[in-house]
Amino acid sequence: MDNCLVICKRLLETLKVPYTGKFLKEKILTHPQYPSLLSISDTLEEYGVESIAVKLGPDRLDDFPLPGIVQISMVNGSFFSAITAVSENSVSLFDEKGKQKGVSRLDFLKSWTGVSLLVEAREDAAEPEINQKIRDQQIIKGVAMIGVVSFLGWLGLGLVEHEASGLFLSYFMLKLLGLSISSILLWYQHDKENPALQKFCSGGKSVDCNSVLDSKTFQLVDGRINPSLMAFAYFFAGIGLLVSSDLSSMTFLAWISLATIPVVLYSFYYQSMVIKKWCRFCLLIQGVLILEALTILGGEFWGGGISISAVSLFVFLFTGVILGGILIKPLLGFKDEIFKAKRELAKLKSNKELFEAVLSRSRKIQNKPEGLGILLKGEKLKYQVIKVCNPYCGPCSEVHPILESLFDRGNIDLQILFTPGRGDEQKEKTIRHLLAVDGKGNSGYIREALDFWHGAKKKDYVQFATQYPINGELNLQEEKVKLMEDWCERENIAYTPTLFIDGYELPKEYKVEDLKYLLD
């Protein structure tokens, strides 16, 4: 399990900041400096969690603002942990694997390097567009629930048609139970970071699902066929045969159930005597298989003949699931390969020397826009950024918070120019209003106005004008607007947003998001 990812998860959970695993994983794993404290810090910024990296001495532990992230040095390397409580004798933390535990204060101080990340969540801290994502997840869960209910209804109709006996129903329910357990086991093998499944699959020195599932003894076809997939295929094929065929198929299934007993005994022996580790999910499946065999013995289902159609259908369903699992498994890991490729690309694009070389070959401004638009002065100027935008342009609003964040760091001057209204009265009025607000000479006020405008889902000029009133200054902006329009035409501004860094247009190979790694 990835240490940076799991510790970031635990910290967000402790801070009660809503998040989705998909977004968090992408942000962490595609960061150009992954794995590092910087990758965690930049990711937390996406959630509205402010942070600062510091190095503290052991005497500052009692003053440590909680929760926070610390670097721990161990024999097998350095890791990050999230501490949640500090007392006179102990420290409560999430360790490098995300498990919560308490350690003695002395042991903690011995392993703590002093490197720490102090964090503070804003009141509105949350993942971007989290409400929409939650609604999407609820819709998906609803559709899945309808699918499950429909599937169970189909199974029920099949049982009614077959006029199933009590023992037959018991056998069927065992198949359904086995399918459920093997489904969860498949889920665990794909998402080993899930805290609920992790808690069930670990507990003490003798319980470790990974040791059993990842054992080469239980792996076939270079690991593409594993116990969880085979168990799922077995139970799925059995249920499919029970519902799709008549009761004569029970004879074949009875012999198959009895044939699983040697597998159960070998699995039990291997876990207890060879690797000396237990997989709780495996034990549950072994229990279901034993109960199946006992049910078969009690009902004497093997007394009839075996039909070729029953064998063919079982083999078809079983091999179909196995082949499907083999084909799907590489696709499940494909995202990690994509994240790795994105991270390597981000590393390349965050190379300042390369960026400056590409930037110097880009289009250069021919006419300096001095005195035009809105100018926000940085505290420790390193770069001059010019943003040419349209107040009603969606992408322009999307890049605003990124540029605002760069400005907050004090490294850039941010000059905002607007493209011509070209007869669009509403657009021209909005531009004049923004310039009039800027004309009041209050940097904080114009920044607040820009945030309000770009942050609004629906651009409503009347609401904006009410929030930031002006008294007759609109007509005084005509000359400023005309000068901006002339500049845009001379510079052949063809689209918005157009960005210039130190007088050179941002190369098409770079996105605005890349600037946060370059302009620091």
Side-chain angles (χ1 to χ4, degrees):
M1 183 185 303
D2 177 74
N3 176 232
C4 291
L5 177 60
V6 72
I7 290 303
C8 208
K9 279 185 177 181
R10 299 295 177 264
L11 183 70
L12 291 174
E13 290 165 358
T14 305
L15 293 170
K16 293 181 170 56
V17 176
Y19 74 93
T20 62
K22 180 181 178 181
F23 182 85
L24 179 62
K25 186 174 184 179
E26 181 174 3
K27 288 298 175 182
I28 287 281
L29 298 186
T30 60
H31 193 282
Q33 300 302 321
Y34 163 89
S36 68
L37 201 61
L38 179 61
S39 66
I40 296 177
S41 177
D42 285 346
T43 300
L44 291 175
E45 186 178 347
E46 298 274 355
Y47 287 85
V49 178
E50 299 176 354
S51 61
I52 181 172
V54 295
K55 186 163 186 178
L56 305 174
D59 58 314
R60 299 292 304 278
L61 180 58
D62 290 316
D63 301 325
F64 196 103
L66 302 172
I69 294 176
V70 294
Q71 185 185 53
I72 301 296
S73 179
M74 303 174 70
V75 177
N76 54 341
S78 296
F79 304 95
F80 296 116
S81 294
I83 61 173
T84 56
V86 176
S87 67
E88 184 177 350
N89 299 314
S90 65
V91 175
S92 180
L93 52 77
F94 290 102
D95 66 11
E96 68 276 7
K97 295 182 179 179
K99 297 179 182 178
Q100 189 166 22
K101 65 180 184 181
V103 298
S104 72
R105 186 185 180 103
L106 182 60
D107 288 342
F108 174 79
L109 291 175
K110 286 180 180 178
S111 59
W112 182 30
T113 65
V115 174
S116 310
L117 190 69
L118 311 184
V119 301
E120 182 178 5
R122 297 197 296 264
E123 290 185 6
D124 59 345
E127 184 173 299
E129 301 179 349
I130 185 65
N131 293 329
Q132 180 62 46
K133 293 174 182 177
I134 291 174
R135 283 194 294 270
D136 292 344
Q137 288 180 346
Q138 290 173 341
I139 291 172
I140 293 172
K141 287 180 181 178
V143 172
M145 184 63 67
I146 292 172
V148 170
V149 172
S150 300
F151 177 69
L152 292 176
W154 173 68
L155 294 179
L157 288 174
L159 293 177
V160 170
E161 289 178 1
H162 292 157
E163 300 178 352
S165 65
L167 281 175
F168 181 90
L169 285 173
S170 298
Y171 186 74
F172 175 82
M173 293 306 296
L174 286 172
K175 289 286 186 188
L176 197 59
L177 177 61
L179 184 68
S180 302
I181 297 171
S182 57
S183 298
I184 297 173
L185 188 55
L186 275 175
W187 177 19
Y188 171 74
Q189 288 209 283
H190 174 59
D191 184 18
K192 293 184 179 180
E193 298 167 6
N194 187 290
L197 298 179
Q198 246 192 3
K199 187 175 181 180
F200 183 79
C201 278
S202 59
K205 296 180 180 180
S206 62
V207 178
D208 185 3
C209 291
N210 292 332
S211 296
V212 179
L213 296 173
D214 296 338
S215 172
K216 291 183 179 180
T217 301
F218 294 130
Q219 303 289 324
L220 301 173
V221 194
D222 297 327
R224 285 179 287 180
I225 300 179
N226 50 49
S228 55
L229 180 59
M230 293 186 70
F232 182 85
Y234 168 79
F235 290 114
F236 182 85
I239 289 176
L241 185 57
L242 284 173
V243 176
S244 303
S245 304
D246 56 32
L247 292 177
S248 64
S249 64
M250 278 299 302
T251 303
F252 172 69
L253 288 176
W255 286 108
I256 291 292
S257 293
L258 292 176
T260 63
I261 296 303
V263 178
V264 171
L265 295 175
Y266 177 75
S267 177
F268 188 85
Y269 165 79
Y270 186 80
Q271 292 180 71
S272 62
M273 304 302 293
V274 180
I275 60 175
K276 298 181 180 179
K277 297 285 184 181
W278 296 99
C279 169
R280 285 174 173 166
F281 281 120
C282 300
L283 292 175
L284 287 175
I285 291 175
Q286 288 172 237
V288 172
L289 293 174
I290 292 172
L291 290 174
E292 273 190 8
L294 292 175
T295 304
I296 291 298
L297 292 173
E300 297 185 354
F301 290 114
W302 61 82
I306 298 177
S307 65
I308 299 299
S309 60
V311 177
S312 300
L313 181 57
F314 182 88
V315 172
F316 173 76
L317 294 174
F318 183 84
T319 56
V321 171
I322 295 294
L323 291 174
I326 292 174
L327 293 174
I328 291 172
K329 188 173 182 180
L331 297 179
L332 296 176
F334 191 56
K335 274 190 177 180
D336 292 335
E337 294 299 319
I338 293 176
F339 290 152
K340 183 178 179 181
K342 284 186 175 181
R343 183 166 65 248
E344 293 302 320
L345 179 60
K347 282 183 180 180
L348 184 64
K349 293 173 75 173
S350 63
N351 185 304
K352 290 186 179 181
E353 293 180 358
L354 177 61
F355 172 70
E356 290 172 359
V358 176
L359 184 67
S360 64
R361 294 196 297 269
S362 186
R363 178 166 70 109
K364 187 178 181 181
I365 288 178
Q366 300 301 314
N367 305 277
K368 291 185 178 181
E370 293 181 1
L372 301 182
I374 298 170
L375 178 61
L376 302 176
K377 296 286 291 182
E379 296 178 1
K380 41 185 179 180
L381 173 63
K382 290 184 181 179
Y383 303 93
Q384 182 186 43
V385 178
I386 298 172
K387 172 191 174 187
V388 187
C389 65
N390 173 348
Y392 290 89
C393 161
C396 294
S397 292
E398 291 173 5
V399 304
H400 175 76
I402 300 172
L403 296 176
E404 183 87 355
S405 175
L406 288 170
F407 177 79
D408 284 337
R409 298 179 187 179
N411 295 334
I412 68 168
D413 274 355
L414 178 58
Q415 187 172 4
I416 303 172
L417 306 180
F418 299 98
T419 54
R422 301 190 188 283
D424 187 333
E425 185 177 345
Q426 187 81 347
K427 177 183 174 182
E428 291 179 350
K429 188 183 290 187
T430 304
I431 293 172
R432 291 198 297 270
H433 200 116
L434 287 166
L435 293 175
V437 173
D438 180 58
K440 294 181 179 293
N442 186 330
S443 176
Y445 190 58
I446 182 57
R447 288 187 63 189
E448 182 184 317
L450 289 168
D451 290 344
F452 181 90
W453 177 260
H454 288 297
K457 291 185 178 179
K458 182 180 179 182
K459 301 294 186 285
D460 188 334
Y461 173 72
V462 175
Q463 183 183 9
F464 175 73
T466 303
Q467 185 76 18
Y468 299 93
I470 52 176
N471 299 313
E473 294 98 329
L474 281 182
N475 295 330
L476 302 178
Q477 312 305 319
E478 292 297 332
E479 184 179 354
K480 295 179 182 179
V481 172
K482 184 65 171 61
L483 289 171
M484 272 196 306
E485 291 180 352
D486 292 343
W487 183 88
C488 288
E489 290 179 2
R490 290 198 303 271
E491 294 297 331
N492 296 315
I493 302 299
Y495 59 89
T496 58
T498 299
L499 266 70
F500 295 92
I501 314 296
D502 288 343
Y504 292 90
E505 186 175 357
L506 181 67
K508 62 181 181 180
E509 294 85 0
Y510 290 85
K511 297 180 180 179
V512 180
E513 292 86 346
D514 300 323
L515 296 179
K516 59 187 177 183
Y517 305 123
L518 294 164
L519 306 186
D520 57 9

